[in-house]
Amino acid sequence: MAALFVDFVVLKKQGAHEVTTQEALHWTLVWIGLSFAFNGLFWFATWDTTGSIAIAHQKSLEFFTGYLIEKSLAVDNIFVFLMIFTYFSVPAAYQKRVLMIGIVGALVLRTVMILIGAWLLKEFHWILYVFGGFLVITGIKMWLVAGKEPDLNDNPILKALRKIIPVSKHYDGERFFTIENGKRMATPLFLVILMVALTDIVFAVDSIPAIFAITDDAFIVLASNVFAILGLRAMYFLLAGVANKFHLLNYGLALILVFIGGKMLLIDYIKIPIWLSLVVVVGILSVT
């Protein structure tokens, strides 16, 4: 809540401006540092509560591995945001507000989905196999489409939205609605918000089952998601200009999803330790 207050209230006073790479780098380091500080406090709190260093190590490693997976999947999220902003020619000064609203939407959505997922896993153990199979299929599909340029012109959701909602051809500052020829119309920025929200839903469906393969502790799942999402806006402005240099990353993310899905499918037969999962994820990300 404190982080959101700083992001939404304190930084909002800067007004609509183009975020520089240096500013984005500073904030990215702040969010990552905050995540590490939280994990340090989490380790201490776990040790203080349980009296076991081994359990503290285990829980701290679960958080870090989950955070790394969510952060890496968030990079793919960023590339989709970039595609949406480019397609709608969103001025750089307005992108900040869209991402802020998208972050809040993602936090609310993921909290609900994590609570539902945790309940499902507690009540129905076999749901792990469903999650695992889904991740393997998603990873294979991601590998097959990696390197191909998606075309938003053919997006059925965007076509449907344009039929339902009258949309102006022009932006009106940061407003979502405007009056044009005496008629109230949505601005292109409103369509962008809707597309970002839909993107949040799609990526939540991928990433939440992935972290349940690392831990079934709902608190760790939620905390790692929150910290990965909080740094999303700063990371977007940091990576947007060099997105073409990450052309192999989607292949790496596809392999990670297949690995995690396979781990879930084999969970009752082969126990893969958290440290090995972390080594695999870091290794794949480093190479790709």
Side-chain angles (χ1 to χ4, degrees):
M1 294 303 292
L4 286 175
F5 178 79
V6 170
D7 218 6
F8 280 37
V9 180
V10 178
L11 296 181
K12 191 180 179 182
K13 292 177 181 177
Q14 296 175 341
H17 73 288
E18 187 172 344
V19 179
T20 63
T21 303
Q22 187 176 17
E23 183 185 347
L25 176 61
H26 288 158
W27 277 106
T28 298
L29 293 175
V30 166
W31 293 124
I32 292 173
L34 204 61
S35 305
F36 277 82
F38 169 82
N39 202 20
L41 289 169
F42 182 50
W43 181 94
F44 180 79
T46 306
W47 169 69
D48 188 48
T49 306
T50 62
S52 169
I53 290 179
I55 294 175
H57 282 341
Q58 172 76 6
K59 292 293 184 182
S60 183
L61 197 60
E62 285 177 7
F63 172 83
F64 182 67
T65 307
Y67 172 74
L68 190 65
I69 289 170
E70 295 303 321
K71 202 73 172 169
S72 58
L73 289 171
V75 174
D76 200 34
N77 210 340
I78 283 169
F79 295 156
V80 176
F81 287 167
L82 180 61
M83 180 184 69
I84 293 169
F85 288 159
T86 304
Y87 177 81
F88 284 98
S89 302
V90 181
Y94 304 157
Q95 293 176 8
K96 188 176 172 183
R97 188 184 182 205
V98 172
L99 289 169
M100 284 168 73
I101 294 170
I103 285 168
V104 172
L107 287 171
V108 173
L109 177 73
R110 291 188 184 216
T111 300
V112 172
M113 292 182 71
I114 286 166
L115 293 174
I116 293 171
W119 178 80
L120 285 173
L121 287 175
K122 187 178 178 182
E123 297 295 322
F124 311 104
H125 178 72
W126 53 265
I127 206 80
L128 273 174
Y129 298 115
V130 176
F131 284 171
F134 174 76
L135 288 175
V136 170
I137 293 168
T138 303
I140 292 169
K141 285 174 68 177
M142 186 181 282
W143 180 280
L144 294 175
V145 300
K148 295 178 182 176
E149 281 292 324
D151 187 5
L152 276 178
N153 284 315
D154 295 328
N155 188 291
I157 297 173
L158 185 56
K159 286 180 179 177
L161 288 173
R162 280 183 163 148
K163 286 180 181 177
I164 298 167
I165 307 167
V167 183
S168 167
K169 292 182 179 179
H170 309 288
Y171 287 94
D172 185 9
E174 291 187 321
R175 294 183 180 90
F176 296 139
F177 294 93
T178 187
I179 304 296
E180 203 169 275
N181 299 322
K183 187 180 178 183
R184 185 175 173 81
M185 303 180 77
T187 65
L189 206 60
F190 183 69
L191 270 190
V192 172
I193 283 286
L194 292 180
M195 292 301 291
V196 166
L198 290 168
T199 302
D200 281 338
I201 294 170
V202 171
F203 279 95
V205 170
D206 283 352
S207 63
I208 290 172
I211 193 171
F212 272 117
I214 303 300
T215 178
D216 58 1
D217 188 325
F219 175 75
I220 294 176
V221 174
L222 181 59
S224 57
N225 264 272
V226 167
F227 278 102
I229 291 169
L230 283 176
L232 193 63
R233 183 163 64 92
M235 201 161 66
Y236 166 81
F237 289 110
L238 182 65
L239 298 180
V242 292
N244 60 318
K245 296 188 183 297
F246 291 86
H247 59 284
L248 293 177
L249 182 64
N250 272 1
Y251 293 104
L253 294 177
L255 289 175
I256 288 171
L257 288 178
V258 170
F259 167 72
I260 293 169
K263 180 182 175 182
M264 290 182 107
L265 292 173
L266 298 171
I267 197 163
D268 289 326
Y269 307 99
I270 302 173
K271 297 291 183 185
I272 299 174
I274 302 296
W275 67 265
L276 183 57
S277 298
L278 181 60
V279 168
V280 170
V281 171
V282 170
I284 292 172
L285 287 176
S286 301
V287 172
T288 57

